[in-house]
């Protein structure tokens, strides 16, 4: 069988970078995408996270797959895509909170199209985090699936738009939004929710909110 090429990444991405189709990129220790820098993730690329790691984005993440060649963000323990990357056979299995998530801060942008994001999110003594955390910037999700995370999406500031997607089987909330009034906006359209431990979605405070066709 085809064995994908495994590339280990950590530290700071300080220039425009492309992660190629067919490769497995292991987030060995947490990475940061600098302001003004674009990380392009090509269709068919697989991103696996070591425990307690994250991507902190201050630039642009452009992850646009296709219907036949999706992009995966998942746990290092997930052997169902990209093979047994950690080489432990059946000794470990993926679960929610295996890694922290993908974080967006002020000025950042992100596009996920035909992407699958699973087994992320985190709870600490003070805070909870979604597999996608929007703490500024603008994030768009289309034709994608967010599943098996602690929280699917957590929103505090910035904008989050999701369309024609599936949010399911997350440990607490599919979407948890602790919004800061006019500084946050959310659009959820044509998206399926189901089988969350607490609620499909939960919003605190006022915000520019579109809810249609879900």
């Amino acid at each position: 069988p085809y064995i994908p090429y495994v590339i280990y990444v950590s530290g700071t991405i300080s220039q425009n970078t492309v992660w190629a189709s067919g490769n497995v990129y292991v987030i060995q220790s947490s990475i940061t995408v600098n302001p003004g820098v674009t990380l392009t993730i090509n269709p068919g690329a697989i991103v696996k996270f070591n425990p307690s790691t994250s991507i902190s984005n201050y630039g642009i993440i452009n992850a646009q797959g296709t219907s036949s060649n999706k992009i995966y963000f998942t746990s290092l323990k997930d052997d169902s895509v990209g093979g047994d990357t950690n080489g432990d056979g059946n000794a470990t299995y993926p679960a929610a909170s295996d890694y922290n998530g993908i974080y967006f801060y002020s000025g950042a942008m992100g596009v996920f199209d035909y992407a699958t994001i699973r087994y992320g999110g985190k709870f600490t003594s003070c805070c909870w985090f979604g597999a996608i955390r929007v703490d500024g910037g603008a994030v768009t999700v289309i034709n994608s699936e967010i599943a098996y995370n602690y929280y699917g999406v957590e929103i505090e500031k910035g904008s989050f738009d999701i369309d024609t997607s599936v949010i399911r089987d997350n440990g607490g909330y599919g979407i948890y939004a602790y919004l800061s009034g006019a500084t946050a906006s959310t659009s959820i359209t044509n998206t399926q929710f189901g089988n969350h431990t607490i609620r499909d979605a939960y919003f605190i405070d006022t915000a520019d909110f579109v809810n249609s066709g879900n």
Side-chain angles (χ1 to χ4, degrees):
Y2 170 72
I3 300 176
Y5 188 53
V6 178
I7 299 170
Y8 294 88
V9 292
S10 59
T12 300
I13 297 178
S14 57
Q15 60 185 10
N16 292 345
T17 299
V18 176
W19 289 356
S21 176
N23 292 342
V24 174
Y25 293 86
V26 175
I27 309 300
Q28 192 167 24
S29 60
S30 295
I31 69 170
T32 299
V33 180
N34 275 354
V37 172
T38 299
L39 171 61
T40 300
I41 304 173
N42 281 345
I46 299 167
V47 182
K48 294 189 177 185
F49 292 77
N50 258 329
S52 300
T53 60
S54 60
I55 298 175
S56 293
N57 179 38
Y58 297 85
I60 298 171
I61 292 177
N62 183 19
Q64 298 192 58
T66 67
S67 59
S68 60
N69 210 12
K70 296 180 180 179
I71 297 169
Y72 289 87
F73 298 85
T74 188
S75 166
L76 183 62
K77 300 175 185 177
D78 184 1
D79 299 346
S80 69
V81 290
D84 182 16
T85 309
N86 63 358
D88 68 351
N90 294 324
T92 58
Y93 296 91
S97 298
D98 274 354
Y99 63 95
N100 293 355
I102 308 166
Y103 302 159
F104 293 84
Y105 296 100
S106 179
M109 295 181 62
V111 177
F112 300 89
D113 192 0
Y114 287 106
T116 295
I117 301 162
R118 59 195 187 199
Y119 303 120
K122 199 75 172 177
F123 176 76
T124 68
S125 59
C126 74
C127 312
W128 48 88
F129 304 100
I132 294 177
R133 182 172 193 250
V134 185
D135 195 16
V139 179
T140 299
V141 178
I142 315 165
N143 303 313
S144 295
E145 182 179 72
I146 301 171
Y148 307 116
N149 304 286
Y150 178 73
Y151 286 5
V153 180
E154 182 235 337
I155 310 163
E156 292 195 16
K157 297 187 290 290
S159 68
F160 177 77
D161 300 324
I162 187 167
D163 181 67
T164 319
S165 295
V166 176
I167 302 179
R168 65 179 180 90
D169 295 290
N170 296 288
Y173 298 91
I175 297 176
Y176 185 95
Y178 193 93
L179 302 170
S180 302
T183 65
S185 67
T186 305
S187 174
I188 307 171
T189 53
N190 308 312
T191 291
Q192 299 178 36
F193 291 81
N195 202 33
H196 293 100
T197 304
I198 304 175
R199 292 185 176 93
D200 288 336
Y202 187 63
F203 286 77
I204 300 172
D205 209 341
T206 57
D208 180 8
F209 178 39
V210 176
N211 174 19
S212 175
N214 302 300

